[in-house]
Amino acid sequence: EGGDVDLLADGVLTQEQLGMIFRDIASPGMPTEAMNFQQFALWFFSRSFSEECNLTEEQCAVRSMARKYDMAISDVDYYKKCFDKHDPDGSGLIDSTEFEALLNKMVRTPNGFSLPEKRVEQLWREADEDNNGAINFWEFARFYRKHFEQQGT
C-alpha cells in the first residue's frame, strides 16, 4: 500500500506524493524538497493538530471570526450548521422567511407554534445590519448571541 505512493520505493516522499495522502498538504512550513520518513514524522507531529491541516478553508475562516468576535468556537460551529440548513441555495444569505424558520428552530419553538409575526419582523430589522433584505452568517451569529445566548436561553 505504501508502494502506491512511494513510486520509487526508496523510502522518500515528495510533496506531490504527500499530497496524495493528505488534503491540501502544502501548508506553511512544509519543506519543498523531498524528505525521509523521520523528517516527515517530525513535520507531521508538529502540525497534525493545526487547523490548517485538519479543517477546510471555510472552517478556518469561521474559527478565525469566532475569535475576532470573542465567541466560543463550539457555539459558532452550531450556529453555522443551523444557518446552513436554512440556506438551501448555499448563497450564504437567508431571507426573512428562512430567518423565521431558523429562529423558531434555534429557540426551540414547539411544533405547530411560531414566534409572533411582529416580533419576528422586529428581530429581522435588528439582524439585517446593512438593510439589504438578507442576512449573512455573521449578521445572524452576532444577532443570535446578543438576543438569545446572553440571556441564558
Side-chain angles (χ1 to χ4, degrees):
E1 289 155 16
D4 294 345
V5 177
D6 184 6
L7 300 176
L8 299 177
D10 61 359
V12 176
L13 297 176
T14 66
Q15 185 172 357
E16 180 179 284
Q17 290 166 324
L18 283 173
M20 293 168 55
I21 300 171
F22 299 100
R23 172 190 57 75
D24 299 326
I25 198 68
S27 63
M30 177 70 180
T32 55
E33 68 279 353
M35 65 177 106
N36 65 31
F37 181 77
Q38 184 177 6
Q39 293 167 322
F40 166 75
L42 180 60
W43 173 86
F44 183 77
F45 175 76
S46 67
R47 291 166 178 80
S48 62
F49 293 104
S50 71
E51 290 179 354
E52 296 83 22
C53 286
N54 293 297
L55 301 175
T56 65
E57 207 172 296
E58 180 183 20
Q59 290 170 322
C60 286
V62 166
R63 288 176 178 223
S64 175
M65 292 297 284
R67 289 184 195 100
K68 177 181 176 180
Y69 291 111
D70 195 29
M71 299 171 80
I73 291 171
S74 59
D75 290 344
V76 174
D77 284 342
Y78 174 71
Y79 301 159
K80 181 73 171 138
K81 186 191 310 184
C82 291
F83 183 90
D84 289 347
K85 283 183 182 178
H86 290 83
D87 178 22
D89 63 0
S91 67
L93 300 170
I94 59 174
D95 63 26
S96 59
T97 304
E98 294 163 334
F99 174 76
E100 181 176 6
L102 176 55
L103 264 185
N104 282 310
K105 175 175 178 30
M106 294 195 74
V107 299
R108 296 179 179 96
T109 306
N111 287 338
F113 293 91
S114 62
L115 294 170
E117 187 177 331
K118 294 286 184 195
R119 179 70 174 143
V120 172
E121 289 172 8
Q122 175 194 8
L123 294 171
W124 171 257
R125 286 190 299 276
E126 290 181 42
D128 186 11
E129 296 171 359
D130 57 8
N131 297 313
N132 68 349
I135 61 172
N136 64 37
F137 171 67
W138 288 106
E139 286 176 308
F140 175 75
R142 287 188 301 270
F143 158 82
Y144 188 80
R145 181 176 186 218
K146 175 183 174 184
H147 289 282
F148 297 98
E149 287 298 314
Q150 292 180 350
Q151 295 174 6
T153 58

